[in-house]
Amino acid sequence: MTTSPRPFAAAAPAAGSRILGTGHHRPERVMTNADLEQLVETSDEWIRQRTGIEERRIAADGVDVGDLAAIAGHHALADAGVDASEVTQVIVATCTNQERSPSAAGRVAQQLGIPAPAAFDVGAACSGFEHALAVADMSIRSGASTTTLVIGAEKLSAVTDYTDRTTCILTADGAGAMVLRAADEPGIAPVVWGTVPELADAVTINGEQPAFAQQGRQVLGWALREAPVISQRIVDAAGLTMEDIDVFVPHQANLRMIEPLAAALGLREDAIVADDIITSGNTSAATIPLAISRLREAGRIPAGATALLVGFGGGFSWAGQVVRLP
């Protein structure tokens, strides 16, 4: 004789989550285009014309991804007015954590004194932060977390070949963070995400001495052709139109990619398009939260602005969502 199984208890769900605060960290060392001229055959003019980058930040020896992430997380908690003891989940998006274990998120919890959170990393390279943000939002909606610290952090200098002028001019180090909390009204729209399997090897970090490599023309071609379509899908998923977007924050891969992408979307004339890559370089999973935090710090984003986030790159993965900024 069989009996019906007893139903599982369910966590109390939330209507949604909202962003309470943001923070970022850029290492002190500045590497200019002139500095790169001393390392590889290139020039300031060549770099600016092809990437828009003028300088980038490089972390010191002995500073790892967890260190960068923890500083950005500390600033985000301060901006949100949230104590570390209130955090129930830490997620770090990264593809350059030097340790296999513990996770960078575990190091963040350790350094910030966060007591017993769920802590794990998300490895989706340049779209990693958008993946992590979606997981954090879903965790809060399901009742699995109440307050989540989400961070994108990279030390790409550790995997950069400074004899390859096509890649070393791009890469940099840094971190950006957001604090999410349960809310009665959703502040993060549904994620739209996916992969492009045939481009899996277009952006890689591999080898015995791991080095960043990419097929730049393939990535650029995909971004110009497909990213506008994906961006529209993301806005549609939020139930909005491009007219509703106040801030457009794509992955800061290359300014010469960002400019035509923004033009293709038909954004309002007064919409802000993030261009943090000019002085921060390409920091992979950190680019989007880093750009948002710096825009807010500079007072360039109005309170409660609606932002479109779109990340794409290694894997070849892509993801994005529309969010309400603090």
Side-chain angles (χ1 to χ4, degrees):
M1 178 176 167
T2 60
T3 59
S4 298
R6 295 177 60 186
F8 294 137
S17 69
R18 64 188 178 100
I19 301 167
L20 295 184
T22 63
H24 69 274
H25 174 63
R26 299 196 302 171
E28 290 185 8
R29 180 188 171 191
V30 177
M31 179 180 281
T32 66
N33 292 343
D35 293 329
L36 284 171
E37 290 176 356
Q38 308 305 310
L39 299 176
V40 70
E41 183 181 352
T42 191
S43 70
D44 174 63
E45 181 182 7
W46 192 86
I47 296 171
R48 288 175 187 245
Q49 286 181 348
R50 286 160 178 76
T51 70
I53 300 173
E54 298 176 4
E55 59 185 42
R56 70 284 295 148
R57 299 299 182 96
I58 304 297
D61 292 342
V63 174
D64 60 23
V65 169
D67 299 323
L68 299 172
I71 298 172
H74 170 76
H75 292 316
L77 289 172
D79 183 55
V82 172
D83 189 81
S85 63
E86 301 175 62
V87 176
T88 56
Q89 184 181 56
V90 180
I91 308 175
V92 174
T94 185
C95 61
T96 55
N97 187 31
Q98 294 90 337
E99 297 180 288
R100 291 182 181 273
S101 181
S103 64
R107 289 298 189 199
V108 170
Q110 181 185 49
Q111 292 189 36
L112 297 185
I114 300 172
F120 54 91
D121 294 350
V122 169
C126 304
S127 65
F129 184 79
E130 294 68 59
H131 281 80
L133 195 64
V135 172
D137 176 55
M138 294 174 194
S139 295
I140 290 173
R141 286 174 181 266
S142 70
S145 177
T146 57
T147 304
T148 299
L149 178 58
V150 190
I151 308 171
E154 302 285 11
K155 189 178 180 180
L156 282 172
S157 64
V159 294
T160 295
D161 178 358
Y162 285 100
T163 67
D164 179 3
R165 73 171 187 165
T166 65
T167 57
C168 72
I169 63 174
L170 297 169
T171 55
D173 305 333
M178 292 183 180
V179 178
L180 273 61
R181 179 165 281 175
D184 293 333
E185 182 178 329
I188 297 178
V191 67
V192 177
W193 51 12
T195 60
V196 188
E198 60 269 28
L199 292 181
D201 293 318
V203 184
T204 59
I205 300 175
N206 55 34
E208 291 186 8
Q209 296 291 325
F212 165 67
Q214 72 169 1
Q215 299 170 17
R217 290 186 178 181
Q218 282 191 296
V219 175
L220 177 62
W222 180 91
L224 297 180
R225 183 179 63 255
E226 302 296 338
V229 177
I230 289 171
S231 297
Q232 185 62 61
R233 288 176 56 194
I234 294 168
V235 173
D236 290 344
L240 303 176
T241 70
M242 285 295 172
E243 281 290 313
D244 297 309
I245 301 302
D246 302 311
V247 188
F248 175 47
V249 193
H251 167 47
Q252 304 290 289
N254 186 318
L255 190 62
R256 305 309 171 215
M257 184 185 299
I258 294 169
E259 291 171 332
L261 173 56
L265 295 182
L267 298 164
R268 299 195 320 265
E269 289 187 5
D270 64 340
I272 297 166
V273 178
D275 55 4
D276 192 58
I277 190 171
I278 295 172
T279 60
S280 293
N282 181 341
T283 56
S284 190
T287 65
I288 287 178
L290 176 57
I292 289 173
S293 180
R294 295 194 68 229
L295 284 170
R296 291 188 66 231
E297 183 179 69
R300 292 177 60 189
I301 299 179
T306 300
L308 167 60
L309 318 184
V310 185
F312 50 85
F316 190 95
S317 65
W318 54 266
Q321 58 270 98
V322 175
V323 304
R324 302 272 191 219
L325 297 176

